Amino acid sequence: MTTEGKGTKEGFLTIADAMKQGTGAVAVRGWVYRERGSAAVKFVVLRDGTDILQCVIKKDAVGEEKFAEADKLQVEASLEVHGTIKEDKRAPSGYEVAVESFTVVGTSDQFPITKDQSPEFLLDKRHLWLRSRKMQAILKIRATMFHAFREYFDGRGFLEYHSPMFQATQCEGGSSLFAVKYFDAVTYLAQTWQLYAEPAIFSYEKLYTIAPSFRAEKSKTSRHLTEYWHAEMEYAWADFKGIQDHGEGVIKHMVAAVLERHRKELEILGRDPKKLEPSVSKPFPRMTYTDALKILKEQCKMHVEWGKDLRTIEEDKLSQLYDTPIIVTEYPTAVKAFYMKAVDGHPEVVQGCDFIAPEGYGEIIGGSARETDLEVLKRRLLDAGEKLEGYDYYFDTRRYGSVPHGGFGLGMERVVSWVCGLDSIKDAIPFPRTPLRWTP
Ligand code: 4AD
Ligand code: MG
C-alpha cells in the first residue's frame, strides 16, 4: 500500500489521499468492491487499505477493446486506474473518478463471498473475508489498541519483556492447559506470562508484554478463544490500588486512541462512539465482591451465595448497571488463583480484581497483588490440587530479596469486541481458534 500523503514513485495515491486531493488527475489501485454496468458505462467501486472510491469507465473514454475488458471485471479483481477525480454526492464515498485508462492486474472469477452468508461460511472463507470493510475496520482498530497499550506503558517507564510460550507448569488452572509433545517429554502452551515475568521484576522492576496465551477451555461462548492475545504487566513495589489504577489508565488510553483515530471505522461497524465516551471521561466504579453481591441482590434481584464465583449471567447483569467498566475486588480466596495475596487480616479474601466491561462483554482484565510468603504459596498450590514439582525456579523469587509486586492481564480480543461492539469475539482476531475451529 502506498504511504499516505506521498504517493508511490509510479504516482499512485491511496484512495484516502486521492479524495483529499479532491480534483484533477489521480492514479489509484486496489480491488473491485462492487461493480455494475450497462452497454456503454461500467461503475467500479474500488477498495484499498484506506477507503472506497467509485470509478466510472465509459466506452467513449477507453475505447471498444478496453471497455470489453472492463465489462468482464468481477468483484475482487485487482486493478490500476488513471483518471480525473471530482466530488460527487451520489457516489458511495462522495467522490468519483472518470477513468481515462486502467490495467487489470489480477482477475477474479466468482469470488465465493456474496451477500447474506452465514457466520460459519464466513469463518471457512476467513482468508477472503478479511478483505471485507467490516474486518478491515476491526483490524485497524485492533492495531491501534495494541499500539496504545504499548504507548501507555512505554510512557511510564515499563520495559517490553517476553516469556517463553512452552512452559512446564500451570498458572491459571491445570484443566485449561494445552499439552504439547516436546520431543520425548510433555510441556504446555503458555496460559500467561506471569510466572516468568515475576522473576524478571527483580531485574528491571516494571515490565509489560503483548503475546499469545492459550486456554484449552471447551466453552463455546461469544467470549472465549483457545488462542488469544494477552496484554500483561507486572511490577515491583506494586500496591493493589496502583495495579487497578494502571488497568483503568491503560483502558482509558486505548479507548481514547480509538475515538480519536477511528470515527470512520466505528461508523462502518455501526458502533455508536457515545457508548465509549464515558469510559474515557468517568472514573470506573470500584466495589468489593461482597458489595457486588449486595448490588446484585438489591438492584437485580439475583442472589449469589457468598463464596461462589460470579458467573457470566451475574457479571452481565452487574455490567448493565454502568456505562464504564467496573472493577470488582476482594474475591473469596477459594475461587481465585494460588498466587493472589490475601487482604491483610482477612485471609478469606484476596487483593485480586476483575474488570468487567459494560454491555455484557464480560471480564476484560484479571489482576492481583502477589502472595510473597513462600509457605502460603505452596499450601495454596497443594490446596488447588497441583504438585510442587517444576515450581522451584518460581519459589526462588520469594527466597532472594522478595518484594511486594503484582500486575494484571488484559484480553485484547475481549477489549476489541467491546470497543467495536461485536457479536462474537471471533471477529476480534484475524484467524480465530476455538474448540471447534482451527482452520484456515
Ligand atoms: O484472568 P486471567 O486468567 O488472568 C491471568 O492469566 C493472570 N495471570 C494475568 C496476570 O495477572 N498477569 O486472564 C486475564 C484476561 C482475562 O481477564 C480475559 O480478558 C482474558 O485474559 N482471557 C481470555 N480471552 C479470550 N479467550 C479466553 N479463553 C480467555 N481467558 C482469559
Ligand atoms: Mg480471570
Side-chain angles (χ1 to χ4, degrees):
M1 203 175 66
T2 53
T3 23
E4 265 187 69
K6 296 216 185 78
T8 62
K9 74 174 183 301
E10 305 95 327
F12 289 102
L13 292 176
T14 64
I15 286 175
D17 280 345
M19 294 197 297
K20 235 177 260 165
Q21 181 183 311
T23 56
V26 291
V28 290
R29 56 186 170 184
W31 293 263
V32 176
Y33 176 64
R34 273 188 217 135
E35 52 80 23
R36 70 191 159 86
S38 65
V41 45
K42 176 95 174 176
F43 292 90
V44 169
V45 179
L46 200 67
R47 170 186 65 74
D48 75 358
T50 64
D51 215 320
I52 56 173
L53 176 59
Q54 176 155 293
C55 302
V56 186
I57 305 170
K58 287 191 175 146
K59 196 189 274 184
D60 289 354
V62 297
E64 192 98 19
E65 206 177 311
K66 274 307 247 188
F67 188 77
E69 215 184 310
D71 204 33
K72 287 201 223 84
L73 277 175
Q74 292 186 31
V75 165
E76 290 305 323
S78 50
L79 68 157
E80 298 175 344
V81 168
H82 294 261
T84 307
I85 195 166
K86 67 168 171 38
E87 234 185 306
D88 186 327
K89 294 274 177 263
R90 295 160 305 172
S93 55
Y95 286 87
E96 187 176 274
V97 173
V99 177
E100 279 139 32
S101 67
F102 69 92
T103 309
V104 177
V105 180
T107 57
S108 169
D109 191 12
Q110 301 197 20
F111 192 66
I113 300 175
T114 53
K115 265 193 192 152
D116 301 326
Q117 269 154 339
S118 72
E120 277 312 302
F121 180 83
L122 295 178
L123 283 165
D124 288 339
K125 300 287 179 219
R126 188 63 155 205
H127 52 293
L128 300 175
W129 183 236
L130 289 180
R131 305 179 184 200
S132 63
R133 295 204 89 203
K134 172 181 173 178
M135 286 309 300
Q136 195 193 73
I138 296 168
L139 295 180
K140 287 180 187 175
I141 290 174
R142 179 183 160 96
T144 291
M145 292 174 79
F146 273 60
H147 177 75
F149 186 91
R150 291 200 170 92
E151 193 173 62
Y152 177 90
F153 285 108
D154 285 340
R156 284 160 182 79
F158 283 69
L159 188 75
E160 183 162 351
Y161 163 85
H162 306 103
S163 80
M165 292 293 121
F166 287 129
Q167 301 183 359
T169 55
Q170 66 84 37
C171 181
E172 299 300 332
S175 65
S176 67
L177 279 176
F178 271 111
V180 190
K181 198 170 153 301
Y182 193 77
F183 304 106
D184 293 330
V186 172
T187 187
Y188 306 105
L189 293 180
Q191 293 172 310
T192 164
W193 79 328
Q194 188 186 320
L195 301 194
Y196 292 87
E198 288 184 57
I201 58 124
F202 296 85
S203 172
Y204 193 74
E205 299 183 44
K206 298 164 86 173
L207 307 170
Y208 77 89
T209 201
I210 310 183
S213 274
F214 303 88
R215 304 280 170 110
E217 276 162 316
K218 289 247 168 68
S219 32
K220 281 168 268 157
T221 73
S222 60
R223 49 178 84 147
H224 286 88
L225 295 166
T226 51
E227 176 183 320
Y228 71 97
W229 285 77
H230 204 169
E232 300 185 81
M233 62 85 88
E234 190 78 27
Y235 66 115
W237 315 106
D239 62 47
F240 187 38
K241 179 177 177 296
I243 295 162
Q244 296 169 58
D245 291 346
H246 277 307
E248 178 167 348
V250 76
I251 288 177
K252 284 187 151 57
H253 191 71
M254 291 162 82
V255 175
V258 172
L259 287 172
E260 196 183 298
R261 292 173 224 166
H262 293 295
R263 294 283 164 167
K264 198 176 81 194
E265 284 72 26
L266 291 173
E267 194 185 319
I268 289 170
L269 296 171
R271 181 63 162 154
D272 182 358
K274 290 216 165 51
K275 292 241 155 104
L276 301 171
E277 281 159 8
S279 297
V280 178
S281 60
K282 287 166 61 175
F284 298 176
R286 300 181 187 194
M287 65 190 74
T288 65
Y289 162 88
T290 305
D291 290 339
L293 296 198
K294 264 189 223 137
I295 294 168
L296 278 169
K297 192 170 176 187
E298 283 161 15
Q299 298 189 43
C300 311
K301 311 275 170 269
M302 285 178 117
H303 177 73
V304 181
E305 200 182 319
W306 199 98
K308 290 234 157 78
D309 203 358
L310 295 182
R311 293 174 303 165
T312 304
I313 56 162
E314 286 126 16
E315 285 181 354
D316 287 357
K317 277 282 175 204
L318 202 56
S319 80
Q320 280 156 17
L321 301 174
Y322 304 91
D323 57 3
T324 71
I326 57 172
I327 310 177
V328 182
T329 61
E330 299 186 22
Y331 282 81
T333 309
V335 303
K336 286 295 186 192
F338 74 96
Y339 51 75
M340 292 195 185
K341 188 178 172 61
V343 172
D344 291 336
H346 291 278
E348 74 284 3
V349 288
V350 285
Q351 298 183 44
C353 53
D354 281 0
F355 285 49
I356 301 169
E359 301 173 70
Y361 281 95
E363 180 195 326
I364 46 177
I365 283 187
S368 80
R370 315 307 188 191
E371 181 54 66
T372 45
D373 185 316
L374 183 52
E375 293 317 309
V376 175
L377 270 183
K378 285 182 179 172
R379 202 190 61 235
R380 295 211 35 215
L381 270 170
L382 292 171
D383 287 349
E386 302 294 340
K387 296 200 185 79
L388 301 185
E389 201 185 321
Y391 290 96
D392 208 50
Y393 84 93
Y394 179 67
F395 295 154
D396 273 351
T397 57
R398 274 52 167 183
R399 289 183 180 127
Y400 307 104
S402 181
V403 289
H405 66 284
F408 64 73
L410 173 155
M412 276 305 220
E413 288 76 16
R414 295 261 177 102
V415 184
V416 171
S417 282
W418 160 51
V419 167
C420 294
L422 305 179
D423 292 334
S424 166
I425 196 169
K426 284 184 252 185
D427 283 338
I429 189 164
F431 290 95
R433 278 19 185 163
T434 68
L436 295 178
R437 177 171 294 280
W438 56 93
T439 61

